[in-house]
Amino acid sequence: MRIPETNLRETAEEILIRLGENEENARTAAAALVSADMRGVNTHGINLLRLVSQRVSAGMLSFPTRVETIREDDTTAVLDGNNGLGQVAAFRAIRLCIGKAKRHGLGMVVLRNTNNVGALGYFSSAAAAQDRVVSIITTNGNPSVAPYGSAEPFFGTNPISIAVPSGEGKSLILDMSSSIVARGKIRLASLAGESIPAGWALDENGESTTDAKRALKGSLLPLGGPKGSGLALMIDVLSGVISGSAYGRKLRSFHELEGATGVGACFIAADIGRFVDPEAFAQTMNEYVAEIKALKKQSGVTEILLPGELELKKEEESRRLGIDVPATVVDAINGILAAMGSDRRISATEEKDR
């Protein structure tokens, strides 16, 4: 279903406010959720409102979100998300980090005791495009990935995003998990009764499986074997250990009512202007991208894509045609609205010419 951006954003805001979030935080979180849907990352979009509603009802999510400063100096800070919305805490953290980078050249802010932060690329891309800083963001999650050589999970999918501003108002945005595939894709396969490719996951006995349901009881595999395993470990240290948050097996799933998740995150920003003239850098990046695009293509390849380009193309399509949201998610959100006594409903828009 194609949903107008305004409809989706206002719906998300209303649900969050009715659940007890304040208006400013609701706007911040709704913008992050809708951006994920616009970029085709539905696992981090308004679908998460179902889980937010369940956790609030179970007393496992604290509204309104209150972000507390534990300690701070010129270039660093430690924030506590107090078990509120991860998107709100992450927004506060990256804005604080960027401010430090602009004033002092570099900034690093760690965040503890929060929840699912959502799509990291949303925060890193804004930092690159609006503030012309290089940003690195990491976050951890509940055990779902087996360390290289292990038969059971210990790491989360532990994503990392790195964004670099480039010319023409665009940015290079790397946003990836350290597992070979996102756990959400296996959940979707399980719901659809479909198998998964070999090499994605292990079953509960530590054996390779193509059965999505057995994979959910077992472990995902790290990206690139020992390389992804090492990356997941370092992200867990940066996000959880350094921040004083949970890590490894101490983390809990946002998808299950197991208690506070204990998610941590790390935000690093560097002001490009402290190293090179920003205009010269933008020109160099334009030339850099053009050189890659001009390379000889492999057979069957029509375009060489760079990090973040697929998501950008999807976002532009969403602005033209409306946001593509699965019908099951639309039904679930409309069900939440009805249960809250709201007259609002998500409705599809007429698809325009492509």
Side-chain angles (χ1 to χ4, degrees), residues 4 10 18 203 282:
E10 290 178 350
R18 284 177 175 268
D203 64 17

Side-chain angles (χ1 to χ4, degrees), residues 25 45 179-180 191 249 254 312-313 330 344 348:
N25 289 347
S179 58
I180 199 166
L191 289 172
R249 288 179 168 173
F254 194 70
L312 180 60
K313 289 176 184 292
V330 171
R344 182 187 296 277

